[in-house]
Amino acid sequence: MEEVHLMKGNEALAEATIRTGVDAYFGYPITPQSEVLEYLMNEQPHLRTGMAVLQAESELAAINMVYGAAACGKKAITSSSGPGISLKAEAISYIAGAELPCLIVNVVRGGAGLGTIQPSQSDYFQAVKGGGHGDYKLIVLAPASVQEMADFVDLGFKLAFKYRTPAFILSDGVIGQMMEKVILPPQQERLTDAQVDELYGDWATLGKKKNKPRNVITSLALKPEIQEEHNHHLQRKYAEITKNETRFEKINCDDANYLIVAYGASARISQKAITLAKEKGLKVGILRPITLWPFPTEAIQEMAKQVKGILAVEMSAGQMVEDVRLAVNGKVPVEHYGRFGGMIHSPTEVCNAVFEKLVNC
Amino acid sequence: MTEEVIIAGFGGQGVLSLGKILAYSAIMQGQEVSWMPSYGPEMRGGTANVTVILSDEKINSPILNEFDTVIILNQPSMVKFEKEVKPGGILIFDPNGIHNPPTRTDIKIYTIEGVKEATKLKNTKTFNMIIMGAYLKVKPILELDNVHKGLEKSLPTRHHHLIPKNIEAIQIGMEKVKPYEVSQAHLLN
């Protein structure tokens, strides 16, 4: 029988990295994600799987260690919160440009600047629209439970290696800090050097072989013709990811007259809000993007044919709402609701917002 | 059955651990749980609170703005959370340090002299388990057997010899919890 654990989201993610056969974690502490590093240090995974855990001297160092490990075909992960992710942005762009697989985790706190340590979802633009420079995309997964914090480690790495591109877990202070039941994934072995060579030997820098040219990892191509072709290649890859990997969950959508689009903690809070709305006779469904990029544009377009109005609920001043509006393209009203700056909206506030912004307007 | 409870007091009173033991005990009887702490600079001396939800069904929001039961262990929390008890719900408080006792008449109110009883036991660390006992007497939602198992799960093995002391403190809390009438305010301290 599977053993049920009671863990914080951050701890579940940390334990899942060990069980997913990750080769290395490089990080630097910052609230509200510090339990990831704390748990891994305490657990000493080098004794369990040989996984390396290192507290780097800075976020810059941590992400560049990930860059180096990924270039060698290793499974490497780093985690931080908004201010730390901003520091990592340059290397994230390099890793995307160099087409390397890795996993980056942001347990979001309120910003801008050093902001606050309380939960927020105001790093949506940073994760989905860039953060770093250049025409790149990250596969962005948004866990809404402690279980998904554990499960998305494996999913993130699978997608990252399948497409040779960085994957990103966009969590928040609520999902990172809360405890709930979790079933941990089974233990996977770390790949041996021979397996890495067999699987990724055509690109990973594992040392020059006699009968093959040297593998080179770089994001630099000075000739614009070559850089343009590289960008076309990236865009074809992103189109493929959009086609194959868009994920979302629909909750009570079948006979809904109004729709909430929400991810992460806001999707959980909205679930309580729609039960409050139901008590007042209003049928509200939720569409929860599981991947924020690729965004479930078509699913939202479909729902726009059915509902009278859509509310994007997010702990920000209104970021994801822009993608919802692009999807809906004016067919029905799309409004935004959310507390921000570290404040968390309550189920009652979300329910009231549905009435105020969509029904009684 | 769904029970939505918030425990609020000072950091260092064992508020978060009390929530954790509640959550583990509920898991032992096969329920769903969610535990959401206030986190941050609320170590010893600051305010700390934890929202715990126990349910037979899948739990949606870990964030709530009204509660079936509110357990209040300091004055700042009284100001903040008395108003968040659902009408007909329960408020349990330790009168120690409370200078503005609750005034609502649409809820059931109980007192537990947790600080006094823990001092009598010469073990202030039992404070949160005395509060746990008071809560379980008022809301018998957990079997004591499962609380025992919950303690085993949430305490590190090196502290397991302390479990009988914790159970004793729970029983004292169960004995000493008293209903409180708003009109008795003048009798406090």
Side-chain angles (χ1 to χ4, degrees):
Chain A
M1 203 183 101
E2 290 150 323
E3 200 188 342
V4 174
H5 297 264
L6 180 69
M7 291 178 118
K8 284 189 170 196
N10 288 336
E11 295 166 343
L13 179 132
E15 174 61 30
T17 62
I18 306 172
R19 290 179 180 234
T20 306
V22 169
D23 296 300
Y25 171 93
F26 304 109
Y28 190 81
I30 180 171
T31 307
Q33 69 78 53
S34 293
E35 289 86 358
V36 178
L37 180 55
E38 185 187 8
Y39 183 96
L40 286 172
M41 283 292 182
N42 195 42
E43 202 55 33
Q44 298 185 294
H46 59 279
L47 301 177
R48 283 172 57 182
T49 65
M51 173 184 171
V53 179
L54 187 88
Q55 176 172 338
E57 66 270 36
S58 70
E59 285 89 348
L60 294 182
I63 188 68
N64 281 291
M65 288 172 188
V66 169
Y67 188 6
C72 303
K74 297 288 185 187
K75 274 169 110 169
I77 180 171
T78 186
S79 64
S80 191
S81 190
I85 299 291
S86 292
L87 290 166
K88 292 176 203 244
E90 179 198 43
I92 292 172
S93 169
Y94 277 54
I95 295 169
E99 297 194 80
L100 293 176
C102 69
L103 188 56
I104 303 143
V105 183
N106 182 357
V107 183
V108 181
R109 60 191 251 172
L114 259 187
T116 168
I117 60 174
Q118 298 303 321
S120 184
Q121 295 180 306
S122 51
D123 297 353
Y124 177 91
F125 283 154
Q126 187 192 44
V128 169
K129 308 286 180 190
H133 55 281
D135 270 326
Y136 77 92
K137 288 287 181 191
L138 303 170
I139 300 174
V140 182
L141 301 166
S145 63
V146 173
Q147 186 65 53
E148 286 186 342
M149 284 290 269
D151 294 347
F152 286 2
V153 175
D154 191 37
L155 176 62
F157 273 112
K158 283 206 169 105
L159 294 172
F161 274 89
K162 182 175 174 188
Y163 296 100
R164 264 185 70 190
T165 200
F168 196 96
I169 293 179
L170 189 69
S171 184
D172 57 65
V174 174
I175 303 297
Q177 290 294 326
M178 72 182 287
M179 286 204 288
E180 55 187 359
K181 276 157 75 163
V182 55
I183 295 164
L184 294 166
Q187 182 67 55
Q188 294 175 36
E189 297 290 319
R190 283 176 51 237
L191 296 181
T192 62
D193 287 350
Q195 286 170 318
V196 171
D197 198 354
E198 194 189 322
L199 288 166
Y200 315 125
D202 57 336
W203 58 264
T205 48
L206 303 169
K208 183 179 173 334
K209 303 202 177 53
K210 274 182 192 163
N211 52 352
K212 277 174 70 182
R214 192 183 297 279
N215 283 341
V216 178
I217 298 289
T218 182
S219 64
L220 178 73
L222 284 176
K223 283 188 181 159
E225 297 82 0
I226 295 175
Q227 187 58 252
E228 186 186 42
E229 181 39 42
H230 178 60
N231 269 281
H232 276 305
H233 163 71
L234 290 180
Q235 292 304 316
R236 283 192 293 272
K237 176 159 80 175
Y238 297 150
E240 192 69 13
I241 295 170
T242 305
K243 198 175 100 196
N244 298 336
E245 309 298 348
T246 307
R247 287 166 165 80
F248 59 89
E249 181 190 13
K250 280 163 115 178
I251 302 161
N252 290 10
C253 281
D254 285 351
D255 58 349
N257 296 322
Y258 293 91
L259 183 71
I260 287 175
V261 180
Y263 68 95
S266 285
R268 295 288 294 270
I269 295 163
S270 297
Q271 282 180 60
K272 180 109 185 167
I274 66 168
T275 64
L276 299 175
K278 201 176 172 190
E279 286 166 17
K280 296 180 179 178
L282 198 68
K283 288 177 188 161
V284 186
I286 297 172
L287 192 143
R288 173 173 81 92
I290 294 171
T291 50
L292 294 172
W293 191 88
F295 194 68
T297 304
E298 285 176 23
I300 292 171
Q301 276 166 355
E302 274 306 303
M303 284 305 297
K305 293 176 189 162
Q306 177 191 327
V307 298
K308 293 180 212 163
I310 299 178
L311 189 67
V313 179
E314 44 179 335
M315 290 185 277
S316 75
Q319 300 192 7
M320 180 191 64
V321 65
E322 293 188 3
D323 285 333
V324 179
R325 285 199 176 115
L326 281 171
V328 171
N329 202 13
K331 287 196 181 65
V332 291
V334 176
E335 299 293 338
H336 164 262
Y337 176 74
R339 303 283 300 266
F340 44 85
M343 293 300 290
I344 311 170
H345 30 246
S346 71
T348 304
E349 286 172 324
V350 173
C351 176
N352 291 345
V354 172
F355 279 92
E356 282 161 25
K357 298 201 168 212
L358 297 181
V359 184
N360 308 327
C361 57
Chain B
M1 194 285 293
T2 297
E3 165 75 355
E4 299 172 334
V5 53
I6 189 163
I7 309 154
F10 286 121
Q13 279 181 318
V15 165
L16 300 189
S17 334
L18 169 50
K20 201 168 161 183
I21 294 163
L22 270 180
Y24 264 120
S25 308
I27 285 182
M28 292 303 140
Q29 52 189 42
Q31 286 177 306
E32 297 296 323
V33 299
S34 132
W35 177 97
M36 179 68 211
S38 62
Y39 62 85
E42 296 122 331
M43 304 309 273
R44 280 181 81 159
T47 59
N49 67 68
V50 62
T51 298
V52 180
I53 308 172
L54 319 176
S55 181
D56 298 327
E57 287 156 38
K58 202 164 174 250
I59 292 162
N60 43 40
S61 177
I63 306 291
L64 300 169
N65 51 316
E66 48 172 23
F67 301 89
D68 299 306
T69 306
V70 170
I71 300 173
I72 291 176
L73 305 173
N74 67 4
Q75 182 58 44
S77 303
M78 184 66 82
V79 176
K80 201 166 169 195
F81 294 112
E82 182 191 359
K83 57 181 182 292
E84 298 196 356
V85 186
K86 287 180 193 169
I90 288 170
L91 188 158
I92 301 169
F93 73 103
D94 184 336
N96 180 61
I98 299 286
H99 34 85
N100 296 111
T103 53
R104 278 178 65 178
T105 52
D106 63 334
I107 57 174
K108 289 180 210 132
I109 305 177
Y110 299 85
T111 58
I112 174 68
E113 294 277 6
V115 171
K116 270 190 200 162
E117 293 300 330
T119 312
K120 272 195 221 162
L121 281 178
K122 296 192 172 58
N123 187 349
T124 49
K125 285 183 179 170
T126 59
F127 169 75
N128 63 349
M129 287 301 100
I130 294 170
I131 302 299
M132 169 91 138
Y135 172 56
L136 291 181
K137 174 76 179 177
V138 175
K139 271 260 164 133
I141 49 167
L142 295 169
E143 300 280 340
L144 211 49
D145 244 17
N146 291 322
V147 176
H148 199 286
K149 286 185 207 155
L151 280 163
E152 276 175 5
K153 256 315 233 188
S154 53
L155 294 176
T157 322
R158 66 179 192 279
H159 289 151
H160 278 193
H161 67 282
L162 296 170
I163 291 175
K165 276 217 159 64
N166 281 282
I167 297 285
E168 189 193 336
I170 290 172
Q171 276 155 348
I172 289 171
M174 288 178 152
E175 285 163 27
K176 300 287 179 183
V177 64
K178 285 187 302 203
Y180 170 84
E181 299 295 332
V182 167
S183 58
Q184 297 173 345
H186 63 282
L187 298 176
L188 286 181
N189 298 326

